[in-house]
Amino acid sequence: MKFIYGNTDGIRKHLLDKLSQIRGYQFEKLLPYEMYQQLLSISEQLNREIAIGINKKGKVEFISIGNSQQVPVPRNSYLIIHTHPQATSELSELDLSLIHSGQTQAIMAIGSFSDTIQIAKIDDSHGLTVEKYTLQDLAQKSLDIIGVEGSRKNKIEDIDLTEKALLIAFDEEGALELEELCKTAGIQVLDCEIIKLRKIHTGLFVGKGKIVEIKNKSQVLQANLLVFDHELSPVQLRNIEEITGQKVVDRTTLILDIFAQRAQSREGKLQVELAQLKHLLPRLTGQGNNLSRLGGGVGTRGPGETKLEQDRRKIKKKIVLLTQELAEIQKHRQNQHKQRATNNIPHICLTGYTNAGKSTLLNLLANANVLAEDKLFATLDTTTRRLQLPSGRWAVLTDTVGFIRNLPPGLIAAFRATLEEHLRSDLILHVVDASNPFARQHIKVVEAIIKDLNLETIKQLIVFNKVDLLNDLDRLNILLHDLPSDYVCISALKKTGIDELLTKIDSILNTENVYKDTLWFFPYDQASLISLIRKHGHIVEEKYTDSGILIKGRVENRYSAQLEIYEK
């Protein structure tokens, strides 16, 4: 039998001695009252979860000690009984996932704040059943109950498995944005605590008194998740979880989780996985066998359980392989970009803060049929489509991933090559949600990232979108004041201002490369000169006659002199 499976550092000897008495215990009933009292008492004194594993004959197979909200357990257990110190006995989605994954056939939770006990098991129809018992009833039930239907049960589809979060933000803008991030991730937000942070606490990020307040508030709200609007160090994350007894997710983990859900293309998935593995590397200790982390929820999507269980050496090797594979994909895309440049096709890039309306604008301008949702990071994968300008000239238009303040450095690093290539275009359309009260701050965030990518010299046009939602003209005037580049106001949804936008784009591109519209006639023995127009201009009409080729089109001024003798 495995006696202690987990971390026993700092545990007082007399409490270990009490646990050691369970080693030879033979269960005849499901949970005798004295066993319930002993386990819960030790768990509360330690403020750590305790788990015991029981085989089909009622013999204790292992005893495990974790921290205040999680405990490691081995696989292939018949029944796991674990404690929830300073919490209820409600089984979480992550507890239930141990059954889904086949790690155990049944699981029971006993909590400090419950008069009932919950047991989850596989029923006769191979569905997941959750039963509730009082302590008096439970003391009379034999272990055979694991193999038969119970008296009170709820099918898994009747159980609320939603992650319910208390948010911790540090200003109003962060609170609103964090709530939108949670909405995108599928998290139910119960409330948001805005803390005025004077200085960062090394071990807890905020002071211990504030953490205790957060713990109490989360228990009142019955939250099962705490989400911080800042990146937490591994030490801070662990300390907060131990004090609150709650699962804790920071801003970086939340954004990575959203990216993992949203990436569709091969390149996008590789980039997200690379960022996740780099983020996980310093946080790997104990993740592999973690009871509360094993099953799912925010922070567990993407690389998956098997990758989390790899050691540091294997993770680093995987990072190298992903980097190499991304380099090959990016090399192929660079060749496509060079081909467009050779054909003299202007490249326009859409960029901006997340949820500014870039995908809606791309769909409108180029019939792209790209998913456009009122969610943060609705689009992660770059999409390129052809666009015909009012002059008749063709261009390519690329939609890129939206930016956000405090974007995780690992994500920027993973997407850097893609962003640099697409933003290194002939024109950047910087799309801004004019209706957002923090639009000016959003502009600064995007400009800072463009500068960090060393692309600030590229011509920019700010596109103020969603102006139909702006009732206050004073706010619009504030937005337009002292802008660093040219701008145009539109509503992609209402299709207003689009003609002005296209005319402005055409004008900017023609200013960069001044063109001369001309009609030429080339004898057949000089037809090779037409390639000069194709490469450095645009052919509108091409007509073949008995004596030569009539060309109507435009060419850059610097090449017009070579063709002047063929003008009509």
Side-chain angles (χ1 to χ4, degrees), residues 23 49 63 79 114 146 175 183 252 267-268 270 317 331 337 343 359 390 419 429 445 479-480 487 501 512 530 535:
R23 280 187 293 177
E49 282 195 5
I63 303 171
L79 167 63
S114 296
I146 301 301
K183 171 186 170 184
T252 298
E267 183 181 17
L270 289 173
K317 183 178 180 181
K331 183 179 179 181
H337 188 78
N343 295 331
S359 296
L419 291 171
L429 295 184
V445 168
L479 282 174
L480 301 181
Y487 69 88
L501 171 62
E512 292 296 307
I530 297 175
K535 186 174 181 179

Side-chain angles (χ1 to χ4, degrees), residues 2-7 62-66 71-74 289:
K2 299 176 183 177
F3 170 42
I4 297 296
Y5 187 95
N7 181 12
F62 71 84
I63 303 171
S64 178
I65 300 175
V71 60
V73 295
N289 298 314

Side-chain angles (χ1 to χ4, degrees), residues 175-304:
L176 293 172
E177 195 165 85
L178 191 62
E179 185 171 356
E180 286 299 310
L181 285 168
C182 288
K183 171 186 170 184
T184 301
I187 298 169
Q188 180 183 341
V189 176
L190 300 180
D191 198 0
C192 182
E193 181 84 8
I194 299 179
I195 300 173
K196 298 300 180 183
L197 191 64
R198 292 182 177 85
K199 65 176 183 178
I200 295 177
H201 190 284
T202 306
L204 294 168
F205 195 78
V206 297
K208 186 173 182 180
K210 184 58 67 175
I211 292 295
V212 172
E213 288 180 22
I214 291 170
K215 171 186 176 180
N216 295 336
K217 187 170 184 177
S218 69
Q219 290 177 349
V220 171
L221 294 171
Q222 295 186 325
N224 56 21
L225 180 66
L226 300 176
V227 184
F228 279 72
D229 187 36
H230 201 283
E231 182 170 358
L232 301 175
S233 70
V235 172
Q236 290 167 344
L237 195 68
R238 183 174 63 249
N239 291 342
I240 295 171
E241 287 182 338
E242 288 184 352
I243 292 175
T244 62
Q246 294 280 16
K247 178 181 175 184
V248 179
V249 169
D250 64 7
R251 179 186 178 87
T252 298
T253 302
L254 181 60
I255 293 175
L256 287 171
D257 183 82
I258 293 170
F259 270 60
Q261 294 182 57
R262 295 268 169 176
Q264 298 296 322
S265 69
R266 174 64 178 161
E267 183 181 17
K269 290 177 180 178
L270 289 173
Q271 288 167 323
V272 173
E273 185 174 4
L274 179 61
Q276 284 186 308
L277 290 177
K278 286 182 176 180
H279 182 65
L280 284 171
L281 194 57
R283 295 167 168 81
L284 286 176
T285 305
Q287 290 275 1
N289 298 314
N290 204 316
L291 172 65
S292 297
R293 291 286 193 183
L294 191 61
V298 172
T300 61
R301 284 176 276 255

Side-chain angles (χ1 to χ4, degrees), residues 90-102:
E90 295 289 321
L91 288 165
S92 69
E93 176 187 1
L94 300 173
D95 292 338
L96 298 175
S97 70
L98 294 178
I99 299 179
H100 284 304
S101 64

